Amino acid sequence: MARIFLGLLFLQIFTLVYSQCRDGWQEQFGNCYVFVNVRRSHNGGASICERYGSKLANPKNVSELNYLKETAANEFKNANHFWIGYSKGQNNDLDGYWNNSKPNLSEGNCVAMNNVGLFMVDNCFWQHFFVCQRKACGQNEYSCINGDCIDSNYVCDGNNDCNDFSDEIHCTNRGSYFYNSLSDKISVNASIVQFLVCWFTIEVPIGYRIIMEFQLYNVTEYDWFVIFEIKKNNEISFIGDPNLSDTNTFYSRNNFVIVGYGRYHNAEGTLFDFNYTSIAIPSPILQATSDPQELSFSESWMMFPDLELSWKIEAAKGSAITLQLFELVFPNTGKNSFYIWYGDDMAVNLTDSTGNQTFTSNTSEVFIYFYSENDDRNVKLNLTYQMHTRANLTNTYLRKLLKLLSKNSSLYWRRNWLNWNKYSKLSRMLRRRWILEISKTEHLDFGTF
Ligand SMILES: [Ca+2]
């Protein structure tokens, strides 16, 4: 009886561990796919895929395209589009399988697809959900986190066969413990450390970052201790060591953290304990109203290295959005970028700027993008966003506008302004032009709109 039970247990572990795709990934056409419900730029999504040894999905034929669109319809309830891997190539053309509907390159450089199988080219910084794709492993292989496939006999044998330790992170018989809840407390007592080296690996969902806070740290100089994470290409990135730092709080670069401890002398009692929590880094879509609303960075986000943040601000169709920037402190070092798109392809690169500035869109959406490679502690953003309806612009400030326009332009403008409704296409163009003119004018106070 006991033998049968052990046999069943073994079978269960076997099927759990040695599937051809990792948990959460779907196998299809010899590939593994994951549909990520987190909004990122094209590059941000691609970089998350790379950590898993995968790329943004590239449908190569109609079956793969149909699979992507049908699965996306289920997985991405609130998204019109999701990123796939195609983008503008070196030959300035789009490389990909288009099912006779090649998108128009004039609208951007990166390709998104929707859940009815149509493509569009979008600004690569825009935020969309995304799909990663990698090759599935064979029948008797283990699927490493980094995308490698190893012989399943090498799992939990004490050797780092995957090169990212993922074949050795969940082997309690060898002193490696795996945590995948969003928060937990990990307390390590000398009595449970039977091994010379033990590992504690935390993996939280994609899009989350981990904060570790040490309460107790009795690791001596005779021991070995490290907190690190694996980036793409198995590159190790050290997060910190409580012994060497003036802080007991550490922030992850991605959704993994590994804590390693090596015991080189006899120890007693609790060696170290820490709490970890994880927070999602959002990419919100905000609705502008006629009242100014505040947008600012959360200080806790700023502590994370390799941080991509974005906000899309939408207003009612036909209206405009004004951003009033009150404070911006932003390091102009490393690979940092800060952009605001506030009109038809008008981007402001804010790497250098601080202080009061106003931006007024000529479209009903504004996009703000921030990236910082460093965990710079001194980043501040404080701005308000506000919608201006067409009614505000046409009725209340008509006289003001006409006065302004007549100052430095001809009667042409007045004449067409009065024909606003008659020539709707022309008037749209003119309205955009007017808003642009106003935004360039210093003496108009937008707070009064
Ligand atoms: Ca191994």
Side-chain angles (χ1 to χ4, degrees):
M1 189 64 194
R3 191 170 286 179
I4 295 170
F5 175 73
L6 280 175
L8 285 173
L9 190 69
F10 179 75
L11 194 68
Q12 196 180 7
I13 291 171
F14 193 89
T15 49
L16 271 178
V17 175
Y18 306 123
S19 63
Q20 290 162 307
C21 295
R22 291 197 82 219
D23 279 357
W25 293 63
Q26 305 183 19
E27 198 202 335
Q28 195 66 248
F29 314 117
N31 295 322
C32 302
Y33 295 90
V34 68
F35 290 74
V36 185
N37 267 286
V38 170
R39 287 189 170 86
R40 288 291 181 267
S41 68
H42 195 266
N43 192 40
S47 137
I48 288 173
C49 294
E50 279 179 46
R51 170 60 185 98
Y52 292 89
S54 64
K55 292 183 168 175
L56 287 169
N58 280 346
K60 297 273 188 228
N61 53 49
V62 75
S63 313
E64 292 184 11
L65 187 143
N66 286 341
Y67 163 72
L68 285 181
K69 77 176 187 192
E70 282 157 20
T71 315
N74 286 324
E75 300 276 340
F76 298 149
K77 298 285 183 204
N78 299 316
N80 293 326
H81 285 90
F82 55 92
W83 287 126
I84 57 169
Y86 296 125
S87 58
K88 194 163 96 172
Q90 286 179 334
N91 57 357
N92 258 7
D93 195 9
L94 285 171
D95 148 45
Y97 170 77
W98 309 115
N99 200 24
N100 299 324
S101 65
K102 189 173 179 177
N104 179 359
L105 196 55
S106 68
E107 289 158 2
N109 289 332
C110 291
V111 180
M113 187 180 146
N114 67 8
N115 55 20
V116 292
L118 295 174
F119 300 99
M120 79 167 184
V121 187
D122 212 348
N123 182 328
C124 301
F125 287 91
W126 250 234
Q127 53 191 351
H128 292 299
F129 293 160
F130 56 97
V131 181
C132 303
Q133 172 185 334
R134 69 188 231 191
K135 212 172 171 310
C137 291
Q139 273 302 335
N140 294 311
E141 290 182 320
Y142 174 75
S143 182
C144 302
I145 293 176
N146 63 9
D148 287 357
C149 302
I150 60 163
D151 188 312
S152 54
N153 291 318
Y154 296 159
V155 175
C156 292
D157 69 347
N159 296 322
N160 174 19
D161 298 287
C162 281
N163 289 319
D164 69 346
F165 302 94
S166 56
D167 55 319
E168 302 292 328
I169 59 174
H170 199 178
C171 318
T172 47
N173 61 337
R174 286 192 171 271
S176 65
Y177 305 90
F178 183 69
Y179 298 80
N180 61 2
S181 55
L182 287 177
S183 63
D184 211 331
K185 181 181 172 74
I186 298 175
S187 184
V188 180
N189 193 288
S191 64
I192 71 157
V193 182
Q194 306 159 32
F195 309 95
L196 285 179
V197 176
C198 55
W199 303 97
F200 303 86
T201 300
I202 302 166
E203 181 184 4
V204 294
I206 292 174
Y208 280 79
R209 298 292 185 98
I210 302 159
I211 305 170
M212 311 166 72
E213 196 177 352
F214 282 77
Q215 264 83 46
L216 185 80
Y217 187 74
N218 279 337
V219 175
T220 71
E221 58 187 294
Y222 304 110
D223 300 322
W224 170 82
F225 188 90
V226 66
I227 311 171
F228 68 101
E229 55 209 334
I230 308 284
K231 299 199 288 185
K232 60 188 179 185
N233 305 324
N234 306 325
E235 191 187 328
I236 290 178
S237 170
F238 291 99
I239 298 178
D241 178 342
N243 234 358
L244 303 173
S245 310
D246 53 2
T247 175
N248 58 352
T249 309
F250 300 92
Y251 297 82
S252 73
R253 184 174 290 271
N254 55 34
N255 54 326
F256 294 92
V257 163
I258 303 176
V259 174
Y261 168 76
R263 179 169 61 97
Y264 294 116
H265 77 301
N266 289 327
E268 287 180 352
T270 305
L271 300 170
F272 56 91
D273 74 34
F274 62 93
N275 292 321
Y276 79 84
T277 51
S278 39
I279 62 170
I281 304 294
S283 294
I285 297 177
L286 308 168
Q287 298 300 320
T289 64
S290 49
D291 295 322
Q293 299 178 76
E294 277 185 32
L295 183 154
S296 52
F297 282 147
S298 158
E299 275 184 29
S300 61
W301 300 344
M302 286 304 106
M303 308 302 271
F304 292 103
D306 203 8
L307 181 71
E308 181 178 75
L309 294 170
S310 60
W311 296 264
K312 192 174 183 183
I313 302 171
E314 293 178 345
K317 213 170 178 180
S319 58
I321 299 169
T322 295
L323 296 180
Q324 176 74 52
L325 182 62
F326 295 105
E327 184 183 26
L328 175 66
V329 180
F330 178 59
N332 200 7
T333 54
K335 287 183 185 171
N336 298 317
S337 33
F338 198 127
Y339 292 105
I340 295 178
W341 276 270
Y342 66 101
D344 290 339
D345 299 319
M346 287 201 309
V348 210
N349 185 345
L350 291 175
T351 46
D352 240 340
S353 314
T354 49
N356 266 306
Q357 287 193 54
T358 304
F359 306 98
T360 299
S361 72
N362 57 6
T363 56
S364 55
E365 59 180 32
V366 166
F367 186 76
I368 302 174
Y369 177 89
F370 172 83
Y371 174 79
S372 178
E373 189 182 42
N374 312 314
D375 50 344
D376 200 296
R377 307 299 194 249
N378 193 25
V379 176
K380 285 179 190 155
L381 169 73
N382 182 3
L383 63 80
T384 60
Y385 57 96
Q386 182 179 5
M387 174 178 78
H388 303 298
T389 63
R390 186 167 160 164
N392 285 146
L393 289 172
T394 54
N395 302 333
T396 320
Y397 293 95
L398 178 61
R399 193 178 305 163
K400 208 169 182 177
L401 283 168
L402 284 174
K403 193 176 166 191
L404 170 77
L405 291 167
S406 60
K407 261 187 184 172
N408 47 16
S409 55
S410 69
L411 275 174
Y412 173 82
W413 293 103
R414 289 188 198 216
R415 196 162 54 242
N416 285 297
W417 170 269
L418 298 172
N419 287 334
W420 179 295
N421 294 320
K422 198 172 173 184
Y423 301 105
S424 62
K425 192 175 175 186
L426 180 64
S427 71
R428 264 204 306 278
M429 186 194 83
L430 290 173
R431 183 164 51 87
R432 286 182 174 188
R433 178 63 196 258
W434 281 330
I435 294 168
L436 275 178
E437 290 294 329
I438 297 160
S439 65
K440 289 176 193 159
T441 309
E442 288 174 1
H443 61 264
L444 258 184
D445 175 12
F446 274 85
T448 59
F449 268 76

